[in-house]
Amino acid sequence: LRTCRDIRYPINLHNERRAMEILLEIASRALSKYPTSLARDRADLRDEVAYPKYSNVRNAKLQVRGEKEVLHHFALWARTAVHVIDVLLLELESERRLAAGVGHSSSLNRGGANARGANQNEELGYDYVIQAMEDDDDCHSTILRYCSDVLGAVRRDELNRIASSAMGSSA
């Protein structure tokens, strides 16, 4: 890797989870240093008497509100990513156990859908979580794209690695 622009793929899920935990800590620490909450700033800005349009006090409040909105976005991204990574880690561990115990290929097909269907609690799976995020109008597109594209690529590679390992051990 030459620069940070060359980074397109996580080193591994545990490393990515820790990076997201650190991002959440940084955002939370920064937010805690503000004397007021984002909700308070929004309420204050509705008061055009105390915060008249085009005034320095209003512009300063708008600036601080914007900073907090960015920090809240990154905190939400980090919390969501940690949740999705936890789902992935559980799913992959289950696949590893199944592949090791049964000695044949993974129960998940290449598209990622659970072949056992109703026998599993699909609400705990990656596909279910991503679909729920897609259906949620409040889920920001950058968070969804990161979880579906970046974490989904890691998932796909790990499932292929598990299936290859199972095929190699059964041969």
Side-chain angles (χ1 to χ4, degrees):
L1 301 175
R2 296 178 308 256
T3 69
C4 64
R5 290 179 188 255
D6 296 326
I7 300 170
R8 298 278 186 255
Y9 191 83
I11 294 170
N12 61 51
L13 288 173
H14 294 287
N15 188 76
E16 193 70 4
R17 186 181 195 290
R18 184 63 189 132
M20 288 296 166
E21 288 172 345
I22 291 169
L23 176 59
L24 181 56
E25 289 170 19
I26 290 168
S28 297
R29 199 172 326 127
L31 284 165
S32 73
K33 292 181 181 181
Y34 288 100
T36 60
S37 68
L38 177 58
R40 176 79 256 156
D41 291 348
R42 288 177 175 156
D44 287 348
L45 286 167
R46 286 191 291 272
D47 180 358
E48 290 188 13
V49 173
Y51 296 93
K53 286 186 178 184
Y54 312 113
S55 67
N56 286 343
V57 69
R58 181 178 189 79
N59 289 336
K61 183 66 86 168
L62 287 167
Q63 174 66 34
V64 169
R65 181 193 67 185
E67 293 169 4
K68 290 176 186 177
E69 287 172 341
V70 169
L71 289 167
H72 277 280
H73 171 78
F74 280 105
L76 176 61
W77 181 6
R79 279 191 307 276
T80 303
V82 166
H83 172 72
V84 172
I85 290 169
D86 287 346
V87 167
L88 282 171
L89 290 170
L90 286 171
E91 185 179 83
L92 292 170
E93 183 55 36
S94 175
E95 288 301 311
R96 282 186 197 94
R97 282 194 306 270
L98 183 66
V102 177
H104 58 75
S105 64
S106 170
S107 67
L108 295 182
N109 66 26
R110 293 183 68 86
N114 190 323
R116 290 183 303 273
N119 295 336
Q120 289 281 321
N121 185 352
E122 292 177 352
E123 294 178 9
L124 300 178
Y126 171 80
D127 291 328
Y128 179 87
V129 171
I130 295 301
Q131 186 61 54
M133 291 172 67
E134 288 175 352
D135 294 344
D136 182 359
D137 291 336
D138 292 330
C139 182
H140 196 279
S141 62
T142 57
I143 297 171
L144 174 59
R145 289 285 63 90
Y146 168 79
C147 292
S148 65
D149 297 351
V150 175
L151 297 179
V154 175
R155 174 184 184 255
R156 196 170 37 256
D157 290 349
E158 285 297 316
L159 288 172
N160 287 337
R161 193 171 296 123
I162 292 166
S164 295
S165 175
M167 295 294 249
S169 66
S170 67

